[in-house]
Amino acid sequence: MSKTPDASGKLSSEFELIARLSAGIRLSRRTILGAGDDCAIVSRPRGQTLFTIDSLVENVHFDLRWGTAQALGARALAVNLSDIAAMGGRPTACVVNLAVREGIAARTLERIYAGLRDAAREASTDIVGGNITRARELSITIAMLGEVGRAAMRRDTARPGDEIFVTGTLGDAALGWRILAGKLKARGNAKKDRATRKYLVERFLRPQARLYPGQRLAALKPAPAAIDVSDGFMQDLGHILERSGVGAEIDASRIPVSPAYRALMGGNLVHALTGGEDYELIFCARPGHSESELSRRLRVGVRRIGTIVRGKRVNLIGDSAPIIAGWDQLRSRG
């Protein structure tokens, strides 16, 4: 049995700590048996089952000094929720693995779990089990189940003539990370500096998965090709193009950026094109949908930014911003 630190710094058993972390978790009727046995038992979904897994690793994806432990827990769940959103699904259940390094107090883990619980409750998702183990770095790994009704959105269904859209704004999280890492400073008057910095940092620390927009998009006939922006717009769009065997023409002047982004970067779109972790949705729909109609339907701003074309190349028009691959999980950040 492994040992982990308790709130006072003393060692407690893994199972005692799991019991403490799981104590406040509420389960829906679809969960027949939650944490406590070798496996959880969940009821079978009515439609197709979605299954995803993702990790946040200390000094790769986060630094404990940058925000609260509660926000970190919520962010860990949002990463998985965004995968479900990109398929147009509803999250149902998840299990959580905490890899804990020395020096992490149990109260920090409890706060992480508090953020997980709140985010799971908001997303109507059950936390049905988990595991705790020792490691050199703190990490949070979540495996999540979801379900989708008539059709899931996929990356391999884009066709020439489809129009390319994106929700929300791009590049904010990339700038937020750079501010936290000391690589970028806000400029201008002090009050505007603080507001700009806060907005961008919050976009990095507290991303929102586009679950409702994803579900509404999946109801379109045919369901669009889609992906979430986790590694960067250009790289993630590239995944759709590769899987669908098509190319794209992108009007960079139509890439949506926030006033905070514009305040720092002006017309430089490099971080909007290549920065990751915004968790917005890129989707490719058949012609005939207006921005205003889609924005009303999805309850979030939507911008048409380009068109799917024949071939396998991306042609960036309307701006001189360079085409640079998005952040690769196996590369370090720059």
Side-chain angles (χ1 to χ4, degrees):
M1 183 185 301
S2 63
K3 297 289 184 178
T4 50
D6 66 15
S8 64
K10 298 179 180 179
L11 293 177
S12 62
S13 76
E14 173 190 356
F15 302 115
E16 289 170 353
L17 184 55
I18 290 174
R20 288 169 59 182
L21 297 178
S22 303
I25 294 175
R26 300 177 184 176
L27 301 176
S28 68
R29 292 181 179 179
R30 63 174 168 257
T31 296
I32 299 168
L33 183 65
D37 276 56
D38 290 305
C39 295
I41 304 175
V42 295
S43 57
R44 185 177 303 172
R46 294 183 297 274
Q48 298 173 332
T49 299
L50 304 177
F51 192 20
T52 186
I53 186 169
D54 220 320
S55 298
L56 293 186
V57 180
E58 190 176 15
N59 300 320
V60 177
H61 304 100
F62 68 88
D63 187 315
L64 284 173
R65 298 169 296 180
W66 289 352
T68 67
Q70 289 95 323
L72 176 59
R75 181 173 168 231
L77 196 77
V79 171
N80 286 80
L81 292 173
S82 187
D83 286 340
I84 300 294
M87 305 289 285
R90 294 191 307 111
T92 55
C94 68
V95 292
V96 181
N97 181 72
L98 294 179
V100 183
R101 62 167 169 81
E102 288 190 23
I104 298 292
R107 60 178 169 269
T108 299
L109 303 181
E110 289 171 344
R111 289 167 183 163
I112 289 173
Y113 248 77
L116 283 168
R117 286 196 303 269
D118 290 345
R121 189 178 305 118
E122 185 176 348
S124 301
T125 308
D126 291 348
I127 301 175
V128 298
N131 182 60
I132 296 176
T133 187
R134 280 193 180 277
R136 293 184 178 180
E137 303 286 354
L138 175 65
S139 70
I140 309 167
T141 299
I142 299 176
M144 180 175 288
L145 291 170
E147 58 187 29
V148 66
R150 186 186 63 83
M153 295 191 293
R154 298 164 51 141
R155 301 179 184 181
D156 61 356
T157 59
R159 299 292 180 265
D162 285 359
E163 294 177 323
I164 305 170
F165 297 85
V166 66
T167 64
T169 57
L170 299 176
D172 295 327
L175 295 187
W177 176 83
R178 282 166 174 79
I179 290 171
L180 289 168
K183 296 176 179 289
L184 184 66
K185 293 183 179 180
R187 61 179 184 267
N189 68 60
K191 186 176 181 180
K192 286 186 177 179
D193 266 4
R194 287 194 297 269
T196 295
R197 183 187 188 282
K198 180 179 179 181
Y199 178 83
L200 297 172
V201 165
E202 286 294 294
R203 283 276 282 164
F204 173 77
L205 294 177
R206 301 177 186 272
Q208 299 295 313
R210 298 298 191 184
L211 285 170
Y212 179 82
Q215 292 162 16
R216 295 290 285 162
L217 283 172
L220 296 177
K221 295 181 181 179
I227 191 172
D228 66 328
V229 182
S230 55
D231 296 330
F233 170 79
M234 293 300 296
Q235 183 161 309
D236 289 319
L237 174 63
H239 294 319
I240 290 179
L241 304 183
E242 182 179 9
R243 292 292 300 276
S244 296
V246 294
E249 183 174 88
I250 301 297
D251 185 348
S253 68
R254 294 192 57 77
I255 296 292
V257 296
S258 68
Y261 182 101
R262 190 76 68 182
L264 257 66
M265 301 304 299
N268 186 340
L269 297 176
V270 65
H271 298 300
L273 290 169
T274 66
E277 300 179 84
D278 288 307
Y279 299 106
E280 298 293 350
L281 298 180
I282 303 169
F283 61 96
C284 309
R286 301 293 187 266
H289 300 284
S290 70
E291 292 177 348
S292 58
E293 171 228 329
L294 287 169
S295 295
R296 288 193 301 271
R297 181 184 184 92
L298 307 188
R299 299 180 187 172
V300 65
V302 172
R303 181 74 62 87
R304 181 191 292 113
I305 56 163
T307 307
I308 295 294
V309 298
R310 297 186 185 279
K312 296 185 178 181
R313 299 189 62 179
V314 177
N315 184 23
L316 188 67
I317 64 172
D319 199 278
S320 58
I323 300 178
I324 306 172
W327 182 56
D328 189 311
Q329 292 281 356
L330 301 181
R331 291 205 317 251
S332 62
R333 290 186 191 245

